[in-house]
Amino acid sequence: MQNTSGAFHFPSCNRNYPVDRGVVRFLDAADDFYEGLFNNEIRFLPRGDSFLHRLPLWLITNGYLWEVTRSVRANAQVLELGCAGGISWFGKRFEVTGIDVSHESLRIAAGK
């Protein structure tokens, strides 16, 4: 629940998490691994929904994106845990909410 200072307060652990540039910051301090070095952005956007257009998605991600796009209808609401920098194709195809420990990755994913 958001409080008056713009932070999110979680009563179960009695912690406040600040909102920085519109994104919740979960880490207390910057962490080189999470903040940018492991961003995992996939920028490829297929030209269409046909098998041949989407095949590179499977090749790039070893089937993860393929299975999601095959199993979840277009425009569905998707919660992606550990979203890193986000996946452009998900942002075009679904209504995505991404969760990650990296503030910088979430900031990048928010643009998708």
Side-chain angles (χ1 to χ4, degrees), residues 39-86:
N39 209 351
N40 197 28
E41 280 189 87
I42 297 172
R43 296 181 180 158
F44 175 77
L45 290 173
R47 290 185 297 162
D49 268 346
S50 74
F51 172 77
L52 291 178
H53 286 144
R54 293 187 321 168
L55 180 60
L57 287 176
W58 186 87
L59 296 171
I60 291 168
T61 63
N62 297 319
Y64 168 65
L65 297 179
W66 181 267
E67 285 301 318
V68 173
T69 59
R70 187 174 71 86
S71 303
V72 181
R73 66 175 170 73
N75 300 317
Q77 291 182 347
V78 172
L79 174 63
E80 187 178 12
L81 303 176
C83 67

Short mmCIF file of all heavy atoms in Angstrom, two decimals, residues 39-86:
data_model
loop_
_atom_site.label_atom_id
_atom_site.label_comp_id
_atom_site.label_asym_id
_atom_site.label_seq_id
_atom_site.Cartn_x
_atom_site.Cartn_y
_atom_site.Cartn_z
N ASN A 39 20.86 -7.65 -17.44
CA ASN A 39 19.63 -7.00 -17.83
C ASN A 39 18.74 -7.88 -18.68
O ASN A 39 17.54 -7.70 -18.73
CB ASN A 39 19.94 -5.70 -18.57
CG ASN A 39 18.85 -4.70 -18.37
OD1 ASN A 39 17.81 -5.03 -17.82
ND2 ASN A 39 19.09 -3.50 -18.80
N ASN A 40 19.31 -8.83 -19.39
CA ASN A 40 18.55 -9.84 -20.11
C ASN A 40 17.47 -9.27 -21.03
O ASN A 40 16.36 -9.77 -21.07
CB ASN A 40 17.93 -10.82 -19.11
CG ASN A 40 17.48 -12.10 -19.77
OD1 ASN A 40 18.06 -12.49 -20.77
ND2 ASN A 40 16.47 -12.73 -19.22
N GLU A 41 17.78 -8.24 -21.76
CA GLU A 41 16.81 -7.66 -22.69
C GLU A 41 16.73 -8.49 -23.96
O GLU A 41 17.74 -8.90 -24.51
CB GLU A 41 17.20 -6.25 -23.10
CG GLU A 41 16.85 -5.21 -22.10
CD GLU A 41 17.08 -3.84 -22.68
OE1 GLU A 41 16.17 -3.32 -23.33
OE2 GLU A 41 18.18 -3.32 -22.48
N ILE A 42 15.54 -8.74 -24.42
CA ILE A 42 15.32 -9.39 -25.71
C ILE A 42 14.54 -8.40 -26.55
O ILE A 42 13.38 -8.11 -26.27
CB ILE A 42 14.55 -10.71 -25.55
CG1 ILE A 42 15.40 -11.68 -24.73
CG2 ILE A 42 14.21 -11.30 -26.91
CD1 ILE A 42 14.69 -12.94 -24.33
N ARG A 43 15.18 -7.88 -27.58
CA ARG A 43 14.58 -6.80 -28.37
C ARG A 43 13.90 -7.29 -29.64
O ARG A 43 13.25 -6.52 -30.33
CB ARG A 43 15.64 -5.78 -28.73
CG ARG A 43 16.20 -5.10 -27.50
CD ARG A 43 17.23 -4.07 -27.87
NE ARG A 43 17.74 -3.45 -26.67
CZ ARG A 43 18.88 -2.85 -26.60
NH1 ARG A 43 19.66 -2.77 -27.64
NH2 ARG A 43 19.28 -2.31 -25.47
N PHE A 44 14.08 -8.55 -29.98
CA PHE A 44 13.53 -9.07 -31.23
C PHE A 44 12.01 -8.97 -31.25
O PHE A 44 11.34 -9.39 -30.31
CB PHE A 44 13.96 -10.53 -31.44
CG PHE A 44 13.33 -11.15 -32.64
CD1 PHE A 44 13.80 -10.84 -33.91
CD2 PHE A 44 12.26 -12.01 -32.53
CE1 PHE A 44 13.22 -11.39 -35.04
CE2 PHE A 44 11.68 -12.57 -33.64
CZ PHE A 44 12.16 -12.27 -34.90
N LEU A 45 11.46 -8.42 -32.32
CA LEU A 45 10.02 -8.35 -32.51
C LEU A 45 9.66 -9.05 -33.82
O LEU A 45 10.04 -8.59 -34.89
CB LEU A 45 9.53 -6.90 -32.57
CG LEU A 45 9.59 -6.12 -31.28
CD1 LEU A 45 9.25 -4.65 -31.52
CD2 LEU A 45 8.64 -6.71 -30.25
N PRO A 46 8.92 -10.17 -33.75
CA PRO A 46 8.50 -10.84 -34.98
C PRO A 46 7.58 -9.94 -35.80
O PRO A 46 6.86 -9.11 -35.27
CB PRO A 46 7.73 -12.06 -34.48
CG PRO A 46 8.12 -12.23 -33.07
CD PRO A 46 8.48 -10.87 -32.56
N ARG A 47 7.62 -10.13 -37.11
CA ARG A 47 6.76 -9.33 -38.00
C ARG A 47 5.31 -9.78 -37.94
O ARG A 47 4.43 -9.08 -38.42
CB ARG A 47 7.26 -9.42 -39.43
CG ARG A 47 8.56 -8.67 -39.62
CD ARG A 47 8.98 -8.67 -41.06
NE ARG A 47 9.23 -10.05 -41.48
CZ ARG A 47 9.29 -10.46 -42.73
NH1 ARG A 47 9.10 -9.61 -43.71
NH2 ARG A 47 9.54 -11.72 -43.01
N GLY A 48 5.05 -10.95 -37.41
CA GLY A 48 3.68 -11.45 -37.34
C GLY A 48 3.58 -12.65 -36.43
O GLY A 48 4.53 -13.00 -35.72
N ASP A 49 2.42 -13.30 -36.45
CA ASP A 49 2.15 -14.44 -35.58
C ASP A 49 2.36 -15.79 -36.24
O ASP A 49 2.15 -16.82 -35.61
CB ASP A 49 0.72 -14.36 -35.05
CG ASP A 49 0.63 -13.62 -33.74
OD1 ASP A 49 1.67 -13.41 -33.10
OD2 ASP A 49 -0.49 -13.27 -33.35
N SER A 50 2.75 -15.82 -37.49
CA SER A 50 2.94 -17.12 -38.17
C SER A 50 4.11 -17.87 -37.56
O SER A 50 4.98 -17.30 -36.90
CB SER A 50 3.18 -16.91 -39.66
OG SER A 50 4.48 -16.41 -39.88
N PHE A 51 4.13 -19.16 -37.79
CA PHE A 51 5.19 -20.02 -37.26
C PHE A 51 6.58 -19.50 -37.65
O PHE A 51 7.46 -19.40 -36.81
CB PHE A 51 5.00 -21.45 -37.77
CG PHE A 51 6.15 -22.36 -37.43
CD1 PHE A 51 6.29 -22.86 -36.15
CD2 PHE A 51 7.09 -22.68 -38.39
CE1 PHE A 51 7.35 -23.69 -35.83
CE2 PHE A 51 8.16 -23.50 -38.07
CZ PHE A 51 8.28 -24.01 -36.79
N LEU A 52 6.79 -19.19 -38.91
CA LEU A 52 8.11 -18.74 -39.36
C LEU A 52 8.51 -17.39 -38.77
O LEU A 52 9.69 -17.15 -38.52
CB LEU A 52 8.16 -18.69 -40.89
CG LEU A 52 8.14 -20.06 -41.57
CD1 LEU A 52 8.13 -19.89 -43.08
CD2 LEU A 52 9.29 -20.93 -41.12
N HIS A 53 7.55 -16.52 -38.54
CA HIS A 53 7.88 -15.23 -37.92
C HIS A 53 8.26 -15.39 -36.46
O HIS A 53 9.11 -14.67 -35.94
CB HIS A 53 6.70 -14.26 -38.03
CG HIS A 53 6.52 -13.72 -39.41
ND1 HIS A 53 5.27 -13.48 -39.93
CD2 HIS A 53 7.39 -13.40 -40.38
CE1 HIS A 53 5.40 -13.02 -41.16
NE2 HIS A 53 6.68 -12.97 -41.45
N ARG A 54 7.62 -16.33 -35.77
CA ARG A 54 7.88 -16.51 -34.34
C ARG A 54 8.99 -17.51 -34.03
O ARG A 54 9.48 -17.55 -32.91
CB ARG A 54 6.60 -16.93 -33.62
CG ARG A 54 5.56 -15.84 -33.61
CD ARG A 54 4.37 -16.17 -32.77
NE ARG A 54 3.98 -17.56 -32.88
CZ ARG A 54 3.11 -18.16 -32.07
NH1 ARG A 54 2.56 -17.48 -31.10
NH2 ARG A 54 2.81 -19.42 -32.21
N LEU A 55 9.42 -18.29 -34.99
CA LEU A 55 10.46 -19.29 -34.77
C LEU A 55 11.73 -18.71 -34.13
O LEU A 55 12.30 -19.31 -33.21
CB LEU A 55 10.81 -20.03 -36.07
CG LEU A 55 11.89 -21.10 -35.96
CD1 LEU A 55 11.47 -22.18 -34.97
CD2 LEU A 55 12.17 -21.68 -37.34
N PRO A 56 12.21 -17.52 -34.56
CA PRO A 56 13.40 -16.96 -33.90
C PRO A 56 13.22 -16.74 -32.39
O PRO A 56 14.19 -16.83 -31.64
CB PRO A 56 13.63 -15.63 -34.62
CG PRO A 56 13.03 -15.85 -35.97
CD PRO A 56 11.82 -16.72 -35.71
N LEU A 57 11.99 -16.48 -31.94
CA LEU A 57 11.76 -16.34 -30.50
C LEU A 57 12.13 -17.64 -29.78
O LEU A 57 12.74 -17.61 -28.71
CB LEU A 57 10.29 -16.00 -30.20
CG LEU A 57 9.82 -14.60 -30.53
CD1 LEU A 57 8.33 -14.48 -30.25
CD2 LEU A 57 10.59 -13.57 -29.75
N TRP A 58 11.75 -18.76 -30.35
CA TRP A 58 12.08 -20.04 -29.74
C TRP A 58 13.59 -20.25 -29.74
O TRP A 58 14.16 -20.68 -28.74
CB TRP A 58 11.39 -21.18 -30.48
CG TRP A 58 11.59 -22.47 -29.76
CD1 TRP A 58 10.82 -22.97 -28.76
CD2 TRP A 58 12.65 -23.40 -29.96
NE1 TRP A 58 11.35 -24.17 -28.32
CE2 TRP A 58 12.48 -24.45 -29.05
CE3 TRP A 58 13.74 -23.44 -30.82
CZ2 TRP A 58 13.34 -25.53 -28.97
CZ3 TRP A 58 14.60 -24.52 -30.75
CH2 TRP A 58 14.40 -25.55 -29.83
N LEU A 59 14.23 -19.94 -30.84
CA LEU A 59 15.67 -20.13 -30.94
C LEU A 59 16.43 -19.25 -29.96
O LEU A 59 17.42 -19.66 -29.36
CB LEU A 59 16.14 -19.85 -32.37
CG LEU A 59 15.59 -20.82 -33.43
CD1 LEU A 59 15.95 -20.33 -34.82
CD2 LEU A 59 16.07 -22.22 -33.19
N ILE A 60 15.98 -18.01 -29.77
CA ILE A 60 16.65 -17.06 -28.88
C ILE A 60 16.51 -17.48 -27.41
O ILE A 60 17.42 -17.32 -26.62
CB ILE A 60 16.07 -15.64 -29.08
CG1 ILE A 60 16.48 -15.10 -30.45
CG2 ILE A 60 16.52 -14.70 -27.97
CD1 ILE A 60 15.71 -13.83 -30.85
N THR A 61 15.36 -18.01 -27.06
CA THR A 61 15.06 -18.23 -25.64
C THR A 61 14.86 -19.69 -25.26
O THR A 61 14.30 -19.98 -24.21
CB THR A 61 13.79 -17.46 -25.25
OG1 THR A 61 12.71 -18.00 -26.01
CG2 THR A 61 13.93 -15.99 -25.49
N ASN A 62 15.27 -20.58 -26.10
CA ASN A 62 15.13 -22.02 -25.81
C ASN A 62 13.69 -22.43 -25.51
O ASN A 62 13.45 -23.29 -24.68
CB ASN A 62 16.03 -22.45 -24.65
CG ASN A 62 17.49 -22.27 -24.98
OD1 ASN A 62 17.91 -22.58 -26.09
ND2 ASN A 62 18.25 -21.78 -24.05
N GLY A 63 12.77 -21.78 -26.10
CA GLY A 63 11.38 -22.19 -25.99
C GLY A 63 10.53 -21.45 -24.99
O GLY A 63 9.32 -21.58 -24.99
N TYR A 64 11.12 -20.66 -24.09
CA TYR A 64 10.34 -19.96 -23.06
C TYR A 64 9.28 -19.05 -23.66
O TYR A 64 8.09 -19.16 -23.37
CB TYR A 64 11.28 -19.18 -22.14
CG TYR A 64 10.57 -18.21 -21.22
CD1 TYR A 64 9.71 -18.66 -20.24
CD2 TYR A 64 10.77 -16.84 -21.35
CE1 TYR A 64 9.06 -17.78 -19.40
CE2 TYR A 64 10.13 -15.95 -20.51
CZ TYR A 64 9.28 -16.41 -19.54
OH TYR A 64 8.63 -15.53 -18.72
N LEU A 65 9.70 -18.13 -24.53
CA LEU A 65 8.74 -17.20 -25.14
C LEU A 65 7.74 -17.95 -26.00
O LEU A 65 6.56 -17.60 -26.05
CB LEU A 65 9.46 -16.15 -25.99
CG LEU A 65 10.39 -15.21 -25.26
CD1 LEU A 65 11.04 -14.25 -26.24
CD2 LEU A 65 9.66 -14.46 -24.19
N TRP A 66 8.22 -18.94 -26.69
CA TRP A 66 7.35 -19.74 -27.56
C TRP A 66 6.21 -20.36 -26.75
O TRP A 66 5.05 -20.28 -27.14
CB TRP A 66 8.19 -20.82 -28.23
CG TRP A 66 7.41 -21.67 -29.15
CD1 TRP A 66 6.80 -22.86 -28.85
CD2 TRP A 66 7.12 -21.41 -30.51
NE1 TRP A 66 6.17 -23.36 -29.94
CE2 TRP A 66 6.36 -22.49 -30.98
CE3 TRP A 66 7.46 -20.38 -31.37
CZ2 TRP A 66 5.91 -22.55 -32.29
CZ3 TRP A 66 7.01 -20.46 -32.68
CH2 TRP A 66 6.24 -21.53 -33.12
N GLU A 67 6.55 -20.98 -25.64
CA GLU A 67 5.53 -21.63 -24.82
C GLU A 67 4.53 -20.63 -24.25
O GLU A 67 3.33 -20.89 -24.20
CB GLU A 67 6.17 -22.44 -23.69
CG GLU A 67 6.79 -23.72 -24.14
CD GLU A 67 5.79 -24.65 -24.83
OE1 GLU A 67 4.64 -24.78 -24.35
OE2 GLU A 67 6.17 -25.25 -25.84
N VAL A 68 5.03 -19.48 -23.81
CA VAL A 68 4.11 -18.47 -23.27
C VAL A 68 3.17 -17.97 -24.36
O VAL A 68 1.96 -17.91 -24.17
CB VAL A 68 4.88 -17.30 -22.62
CG1 VAL A 68 3.92 -16.17 -22.23
CG2 VAL A 68 5.65 -17.78 -21.41
N THR A 69 3.70 -17.62 -25.53
CA THR A 69 2.84 -17.09 -26.60
C THR A 69 1.91 -18.16 -27.15
O THR A 69 0.83 -17.86 -27.63
CB THR A 69 3.65 -16.45 -27.74
OG1 THR A 69 4.52 -17.42 -28.31
CG2 THR A 69 4.45 -15.27 -27.25
N ARG A 70 2.30 -19.42 -27.04
CA ARG A 70 1.45 -20.51 -27.52
C ARG A 70 0.34 -20.81 -26.51
O ARG A 70 -0.76 -21.19 -26.87
CB ARG A 70 2.30 -21.76 -27.73
CG ARG A 70 1.59 -22.92 -28.38
CD ARG A 70 2.56 -24.04 -28.66
NE ARG A 70 3.01 -24.71 -27.46
CZ ARG A 70 2.36 -25.71 -26.88
NH1 ARG A 70 1.23 -26.15 -27.39
NH2 ARG A 70 2.84 -26.26 -25.80
N SER A 71 0.63 -20.61 -25.23
CA SER A 71 -0.29 -21.00 -24.17
C SER A 71 -1.18 -19.88 -23.64
O SER A 71 -2.20 -20.16 -23.03
CB SER A 71 0.51 -21.58 -22.99
OG SER A 71 1.30 -22.65 -23.41
N VAL A 72 -0.79 -18.63 -23.86
CA VAL A 72 -1.53 -17.49 -23.29
C VAL A 72 -2.09 -16.66 -24.43
O VAL A 72 -1.37 -16.28 -25.35
CB VAL A 72 -0.61 -16.63 -22.39
CG1 VAL A 72 -1.38 -15.47 -21.79
CG2 VAL A 72 0.02 -17.48 -21.30
N ARG A 73 -3.38 -16.37 -24.37
CA ARG A 73 -4.03 -15.62 -25.46
C ARG A 73 -3.50 -14.18 -25.53
O ARG A 73 -3.11 -13.61 -24.52
CB ARG A 73 -5.54 -15.63 -25.31
CG ARG A 73 -6.04 -14.90 -24.10
CD ARG A 73 -7.55 -14.82 -24.02
NE ARG A 73 -7.98 -14.32 -22.74
CZ ARG A 73 -7.88 -13.07 -22.34
NH1 ARG A 73 -7.36 -12.17 -23.12
NH2 ARG A 73 -8.29 -12.70 -21.14
N ALA A 74 -3.51 -13.62 -26.72
CA ALA A 74 -3.09 -12.23 -26.92
C ALA A 74 -3.95 -11.31 -26.06
O ALA A 74 -5.13 -11.59 -25.81
CB ALA A 74 -3.22 -11.85 -28.39
N ASN A 75 -3.37 -10.24 -25.57
CA ASN A 75 -4.01 -9.23 -24.72
C ASN A 75 -4.33 -9.71 -23.31
O ASN A 75 -4.96 -9.00 -22.55
CB ASN A 75 -5.27 -8.65 -25.38
CG ASN A 75 -4.95 -8.00 -26.69
OD1 ASN A 75 -3.97 -7.28 -26.83
ND2 ASN A 75 -5.76 -8.27 -27.70
N ALA A 76 -3.91 -10.92 -22.95
CA ALA A 76 -4.13 -11.42 -21.59
C ALA A 76 -3.25 -10.66 -20.61
O ALA A 76 -2.24 -10.07 -20.98
CB ALA A 76 -3.81 -12.91 -21.51
N GLN A 77 -3.63 -10.68 -19.34
CA GLN A 77 -2.82 -10.08 -18.29
C GLN A 77 -1.79 -11.12 -17.85
O GLN A 77 -2.13 -12.25 -17.53
CB GLN A 77 -3.67 -9.66 -17.11
CG GLN A 77 -4.58 -8.51 -17.42
CD GLN A 77 -5.38 -8.08 -16.21
OE1 GLN A 77 -5.45 -8.76 -15.20
NE2 GLN A 77 -6.00 -6.92 -16.33
N VAL A 78 -0.51 -10.72 -17.85
CA VAL A 78 0.59 -11.63 -17.52
C VAL A 78 1.41 -11.01 -16.40
O VAL A 78 1.75 -9.82 -16.45
CB VAL A 78 1.49 -11.88 -18.76
CG1 VAL A 78 2.74 -12.66 -18.38
CG2 VAL A 78 0.71 -12.59 -19.85
N LEU A 79 1.73 -11.80 -15.38
CA LEU A 79 2.64 -11.39 -14.31
C LEU A 79 3.94 -12.15 -14.55
O LEU A 79 3.96 -13.38 -14.50
CB LEU A 79 2.06 -11.75 -12.94
CG LEU A 79 2.98 -11.52 -11.74
CD1 LEU A 79 3.33 -10.04 -11.60
CD2 LEU A 79 2.33 -12.03 -10.48
N GLU A 80 5.01 -11.41 -14.83
CA GLU A 80 6.30 -12.06 -15.08
C GLU A 80 7.22 -11.81 -13.90
O GLU A 80 7.62 -10.68 -13.63
CB GLU A 80 6.95 -11.55 -16.37
CG GLU A 80 8.17 -12.35 -16.69
CD GLU A 80 8.85 -11.96 -17.98
OE1 GLU A 80 8.53 -10.91 -18.55
OE2 GLU A 80 9.74 -12.72 -18.39
N LEU A 81 7.56 -12.87 -13.20
CA LEU A 81 8.46 -12.79 -12.05
C LEU A 81 9.89 -12.93 -12.54
O LEU A 81 10.20 -13.85 -13.28
CB LEU A 81 8.14 -13.90 -11.04
CG LEU A 81 6.70 -13.93 -10.53
CD1 LEU A 81 6.49 -15.12 -9.63
CD2 LEU A 81 6.36 -12.64 -9.83
N GLY A 82 10.75 -12.01 -12.14
CA GLY A 82 12.13 -12.01 -12.63
C GLY A 82 12.19 -11.54 -14.07
O GLY A 82 12.87 -12.12 -14.90
N CYS A 83 11.50 -10.44 -14.36
CA CYS A 83 11.35 -9.97 -15.74
C CYS A 83 12.62 -9.34 -16.31
O CYS A 83 12.72 -9.13 -17.51
CB CYS A 83 10.21 -8.97 -15.83
SG CYS A 83 10.51 -7.42 -14.96
N ALA A 84 13.60 -9.02 -15.46
CA ALA A 84 14.82 -8.35 -15.91
C ALA A 84 14.45 -7.09 -16.70
O ALA A 84 13.60 -6.34 -16.25
CB ALA A 84 15.72 -9.29 -16.69
N GLY A 85 15.07 -6.87 -17.85
CA GLY A 85 14.81 -5.68 -18.64
C GLY A 85 13.56 -5.75 -19.50
O GLY A 85 13.26 -4.86 -20.27
N GLY A 86 12.83 -6.83 -19.37
CA GLY A 86 11.59 -6.97 -20.11
C GLY A 86 11.79 -7.59 -21.48
O GLY A 86 12.90 -7.68 -21.98
#
